[in-house]
Amino acid sequence: RSSPTSRGRRSSAVPSFSRPARRTRAPTAEDLVPGDVVLLRPQDVVPADCRLLECEGLEVDESSLTGESLAVRKDPAPVVAAHLGDRRSMVYEGTTVSAGQAVAVVVATGSGTEVGRSLATARQAAPETGVEARLAALTRASLPIALASAGAVAAAGLLHGRPLAANLSSAVNLAVASVPEGLPFLVNAAQLAAARRLAEVGALVRNPRTIEALGRADVLCFDKTGTLTEGRLTLAGVSDGGDGVEPAARLDPVRQEVLAAALRATPAARQSEPMAHQTDRAVTDGARAAKVGVRQGAPRWQRGDTLPFEPSRAYHATSGRTSGGGLLSVKGAPENVLDRCARQREGARRTPLDSAGRAALAARAEELAGAGRRVLAVAERRMADGEELTDEAVRDLVFLGFLTLADPVRKGAAPATARLRAAGVHTVMLTGDHPATADAIAAEVTAEVSDVAEPKVITGGELDELDDEALDALLPEVDVIARCGPHHKVRIVQAYQRTGRTVAMTGDGANDAPAIRLADIGIALGRRGTPAATAAADLVVGDDRLETIVSALMEGRAMWASVRAALGILIGGNLGEVAFSVLVSGLTGRTPLGARQIMLVNLLTDLAPSLAIAVREPTGQTARRLLKEGPSRSLGSALTGEMLLRGAVTATGAGLAFGAARLTGRHRRAGTVALAAVVGTQLAQTLATGGLDRNVLAASLGSAVVLAAVIQTPGVSQFFGCTPLGPVAWSIALGAIATATLAGTAIGPLVRRRLEAAAEAAPDAGAEDPSSGAGTAEGPADAVSTGPSEGA
């Protein structure tokens, strides 16, 4: 909420901390215009971009705009800065007042604000990507085959003296059979099935193209706050001023007393309202977790007066009473607290602290801050009876130690990053934080990545000095980009796309929305995400975990594997039908299968069985194998091999059945046996691919039952140009199916190994390009047996 003053009395109605406002009112944010003056208090959401006029102890949470996880201190003093996080005299729409209060004048509203400009960029058209291009290529490749097969059948009929009309009819039927008309439906069904599985693990797909694009992703840009880290400040460790820093969970008695003194110098927590400062919340929560209370080291301590934190003094002081007398406890910025310290505690002694000692402690504080942490100094002293707590009284303190506060890295961030690198995905952290903080987080996150010895960090300012060509050459080597604003993120995404990479962009703030929208796969974090980020995203991750993003990537790769298997069955079966028909036509002048029989084959083999293969879960495959999948690998030579193998098996089964049946019967009976063999061979291969998946079993067995019913039912059999078969004919068909399937099963692994070896020898595009700096394709070998959750 905010309380703008009346527009009609701006000059005389400015709320001031030195004099009361004459008049205030609380309109909606939509009513604000540039020039209005607003009053901001703790927990208020800033309603517009404003220039500060006055403020007291103002701290603003700008994480939704800049990615900076810590609250930013503000000051009305004019400042010129390129990065939003450095503009201390400005507050921006959508950010939250963490502490203090301020009077500010509105300078921009609506589309003129930083958030508004981000939304305008986010509404730009996203680059068109999709599996349609590859489907179109497959369809174009099938057209010459269709025309060639039709011409071959027509020519064979003419050579054998058949009428031209009959030849043309057979040729047209065969041409129609060789065109895979079910391709778009097949792929769309696979994407929808993958989207349903992702929804079960908390990832909501807003655009079906996201699934296939995930399988092509080879660059992932993500924000630090809320993605790699938990997005909250916590107590990381406690130091007594020496070299050792103990984690908050394992404190010795000396460091427990340091934490207890800091807790005494912290405002009392109230259940009715949250604590204003993140640092105070972190100290209170850390002390509670470490089981440290305010009376540890200060028996029977009772709170007295306080000096609240203000940027001008940069500390919080509390006076209290103990069984031994008055006690003054102070915590705050090291540079301010150390100047007020006269002694230092070393064990049970209190030693004098001179200028050299203060300089050494200041250097120690800077060393701790260099690891990306916020550092607080803690000090105390005894107070005389009746001594009042004033700023002048905070002197002659005894230095006790330091507290380090940090936004902790998520436990699964490092393993998830390692898995992404193993999948051939180059990960880049984009953050508004200081380079030292970003470097420390990146080092922790990439600790399990073998090919990253030391993260390479650059800043947004350095990017501004590079032209597009230099930026394109630099980005493959970069792991972290600090001080990164919205326009930097957009430029980075566009640079990767210029070099042919498929980019996934993850974020939760309004500053991430433009890049999320322009990326090939835009991913928003649902729990912390702003409306701008969510509206721009293709995929919304409900639990904000990087592991779920890895699961989505695995599902995208698995979809390509499922599509390859389904297309192999669909197109390979068609190729087998064409090869069989052309061969028999060349020998006899007649096609073995009529138009209605070809339609029946397509209905029984192309619809339900191939669809069941496309939508099945990626069971029985290892994570390492799935990570190698992708459009170029899955729909390249691997698909060609699958199609040729399945086509050869189908043609072999049909040819054996037709030849044996023709030797023992008439052409019509031989054609019916061939029909049974064509369908049966394809269904057997479907069962071999689908395993025990219940949908595959139901589709395959159901199609087999329908085929048997059509052939054996009088009237229906004659309608499809068939004749009911006896035991001998069925034995011929089943024998041909078994022989062809076993032969295909025997030579299949050899063909696949040769294709995989050829794919490994030749650099693949996108995710499989080993020269991309994105790591190798060697990933964890744990089995993926229950869908995307196993991939995490």
Side-chain angles (χ1 to χ4, degrees):
R1 297 179 309 166
S2 61
S3 299
T5 63
S6 170
R7 294 192 192 115
R9 302 188 181 185
R10 290 189 192 107
S11 60
S12 60
V14 177
S16 173
F17 306 127
S18 59
R19 57 184 174 86
R22 293 182 181 177
R23 180 184 175 192
T24 62
R25 63 188 182 94
T28 61
E30 289 80 4
D31 293 333
L32 294 175
V33 296
D36 283 342
V37 177
V38 295
L39 174 63
L40 302 174
R41 299 186 179 93
Q43 304 307 312
D44 281 352
V45 176
V46 180
D49 286 5
C50 303
R51 170 72 165 84
L52 292 176
L53 300 176
E54 303 176 22
C55 70
E56 285 187 3
L58 183 66
E59 292 190 6
V60 180
D61 180 1
E62 295 183 341
S63 59
S64 65
L65 186 64
T66 66
E68 180 81 43
S69 58
L70 302 178
V72 179
R73 297 175 183 173
K74 295 293 184 177
D75 192 307
V79 62
V80 177
H83 189 265
L84 293 177
D86 296 329
R87 300 174 187 172
R88 302 303 171 121
S89 59
M90 292 288 296
V91 290
Y92 296 98
E93 179 185 356
T95 59
T96 305
V97 178
S98 299
Q101 54 184 341
V103 175
V105 60
V106 176
V107 296
T109 60
S111 60
T113 65
E114 291 293 334
V115 172
R117 285 195 289 271
S118 297
L119 287 173
T121 308
R123 285 191 290 267
Q124 295 179 10
E128 291 186 2
T129 59
V131 73
E132 288 80 7
R134 292 190 177 274
L135 296 184
L138 290 174
T139 303
R140 287 194 299 270
S142 68
L143 292 178
I145 297 176
L147 295 176
S149 61
V153 169
L158 291 175
L159 291 176
H160 284 80
R162 296 192 67 210
L164 179 60
N167 290 336
L168 292 178
S169 176
S170 299
V172 170
N173 293 336
L174 189 60
V176 172
S178 62
V179 176
E181 63 278 353
L183 288 183
F185 176 72
L186 196 70
V187 175
N188 288 336
Q191 292 182 101
L192 291 174
R196 177 183 56 81
R197 290 192 292 270
L198 283 177
E200 295 175 355
V201 296
L204 303 180
V205 177
R206 303 183 60 190
N207 192 331
R209 74 175 179 87
T210 303
I211 302 297
E212 62 86 17
L214 280 168
R216 297 184 287 109
D218 56 0
V219 174
L220 174 62
C221 303
F222 46 71
D223 189 24
K224 174 186 72 67
T225 305
T227 307
L228 295 178
T229 64
E230 296 181 4
R232 60 186 180 88
L233 206 59
T234 60
L235 180 64
V238 181
S239 169
D240 61 356
D243 294 334
V245 178
E246 295 294 333
R250 300 191 306 272
L251 298 180
D252 57 24
V254 173
R255 290 175 175 81
Q256 285 182 352
E257 291 186 6
V258 175
L259 179 55
L263 186 60
R264 289 190 286 271
T266 298
R270 299 178 181 176
Q271 295 182 352
S272 59
E273 58 185 60
M275 303 185 75
H277 292 275
Q278 291 189 60
T279 53
D280 294 333
R281 291 196 294 270
V283 171
T284 302
D285 294 342
R288 185 181 300 114
K291 299 181 179 179
V292 172
V294 293
R295 292 184 175 87
Q296 186 161 343
R300 301 173 64 182
W301 182 83
Q302 294 291 331
R303 186 182 300 274
D305 293 334
T306 63
L307 277 179
F309 175 87
E310 291 182 2
S312 59
R313 64 169 69 105
Y315 66 81
H316 186 284
T318 302
S319 64
R321 295 291 302 176
T322 69
S323 58
L327 183 64
L328 172 61
S329 304
V330 180
K331 81 171 191 310
E335 60 271 19
N336 291 64
V337 174
L338 289 175
D339 287 342
R340 299 171 182 264
C341 292
R343 289 175 294 168
Q344 177 181 4
R345 186 179 68 176
E346 294 182 353
R349 298 182 300 116
R350 304 291 190 268
T351 59
L353 188 61
D354 55 13
S355 298
R358 292 191 191 92
L361 290 174
R364 177 60 178 152
E366 289 182 5
E367 181 182 349
L368 294 175
R373 292 174 169 83
R374 174 175 286 188
V375 180
L376 299 177
V378 182
E380 284 187 331
R381 74 168 175 86
R382 290 292 176 181
M383 297 184 70
D385 293 339
E387 184 179 1
E388 293 185 2
L389 178 57
T390 62
D391 185 62
E392 290 75 16
V394 182
R395 54 181 174 76
D396 297 330
L397 302 174
V398 178
F399 174 78
L400 301 181
F402 295 116
L403 302 184
T404 60
L405 309 177
D407 185 4
V409 175
R410 293 179 183 269
K411 293 182 179 179
T417 302
R419 290 176 68 86
L420 287 169
R421 292 275 185 162
V425 179
H426 181 54
T427 56
V428 185
M429 186 173 78
L430 311 180
T431 178
D433 279 340
H434 190 276
T437 302
D439 187 27
I441 297 296
E444 187 173 350
V445 169
T446 59
E448 300 183 19
V449 181
S450 58
D451 62 335
V452 180
E454 183 176 348
K456 181 176 178 59
V457 183
I458 63 174
T459 64
E462 292 174 316
L463 291 186
D464 293 333
E465 299 175 359
L466 302 176
D467 58 18
D468 289 346
E469 185 177 349
L471 180 62
D472 296 347
L474 176 64
L475 281 181
E477 304 174 359
V478 174
D479 301 294
V480 181
I481 302 177
R483 291 302 189 195
C484 189
H487 63 287
H488 293 126
K489 296 180 181 182
V490 169
R491 191 182 176 205
I492 290 165
V493 170
Q494 292 173 335
Y496 278 120
Q497 291 173 335
R498 276 198 306 272
T499 58
R501 311 296 290 271
T502 301
V503 185
M505 176 67 199
T506 301
D508 59 358
N511 60 320
D512 301 315
I516 288 175
R517 179 61 178 169
L518 294 177
D520 299 283
I521 310 106
I523 305 174
L525 305 182
R527 184 177 299 173
R528 290 171 42 90
T530 61
T534 304
D538 303 308
L539 177 69
V540 179
V541 179
D543 57 8
D544 293 7
R545 297 169 65 239
L546 190 59
E547 298 92 316
T548 305
I549 298 175
V550 177
S551 297
L553 174 69
M554 294 285 289
E555 189 63 58
R557 300 291 176 92
M559 191 217 72
W560 286 107
S562 298
V563 167
R564 182 186 69 230
L567 293 180
I569 292 173
L570 178 64
I571 302 177
N574 288 354
L575 289 177
E577 297 169 30
V578 170
F580 167 62
S581 297
V582 170
L583 177 62
V584 173
S585 296
L587 295 175
T588 65
R590 301 171 57 188
T591 56
L593 302 177
R596 294 177 181 176
Q597 290 175 331
I598 291 175
M599 180 191 70
L600 182 63
V601 170
N602 289 342
L603 286 175
L604 295 179
T605 62
D606 292 355
L607 187 60
S610 57
L611 181 62
I613 290 292
V615 302
R616 66 182 177 135
E617 290 189 20
T619 56
Q621 301 190 60
T622 64
R624 177 179 300 173
R625 185 176 185 85
L626 283 180
L627 290 174
K628 293 183 179 181
E629 298 290 349
S632 298
R633 189 181 297 273
S634 299
L635 300 190
S637 59
L639 176 59
T640 302
E642 291 280 350
M643 292 189 301
L644 294 178
L645 177 62
R646 294 182 185 281
V649 171
T650 301
T652 300
L656 291 175
F658 182 82
R662 191 70 182 87
L663 293 175
T664 60
R666 294 176 300 173
H667 187 278
R668 185 184 182 94
R669 174 176 174 271
T672 305
V673 174
L675 171 67
V678 167
V679 176
T681 305
Q682 294 188 55
L683 294 180
Q685 294 176 89
T686 301
L687 287 172
T689 301
L692 299 179
D693 184 273
R694 61 181 182 180
N695 292 328
V696 176
L697 286 173
S700 301
L701 296 179
S703 295
V705 170
V706 171
L707 173 67
V710 168
I711 292 176
Q712 296 301 111
T713 302
V716 177
S717 181
Q718 282 73 24
F719 175 79
F720 283 98
C722 301
T723 183
L725 301 179
V728 174
W730 279 112
S731 298
I732 291 174
L734 293 176
I737 293 170
T739 301
T741 302
L742 290 176
T745 302
I747 67 174
L750 177 62
V751 172
R752 294 187 184 95
R753 279 197 297 269
R754 291 195 173 186
L755 290 173
E756 289 180 1
E760 291 291 342
D764 202 356
E768 289 81 22
D769 186 1
S771 64
S772 64
T776 64
E778 294 299 320
D782 45 309
V784 178
S785 58
T786 58
S789 60
E790 292 292 326

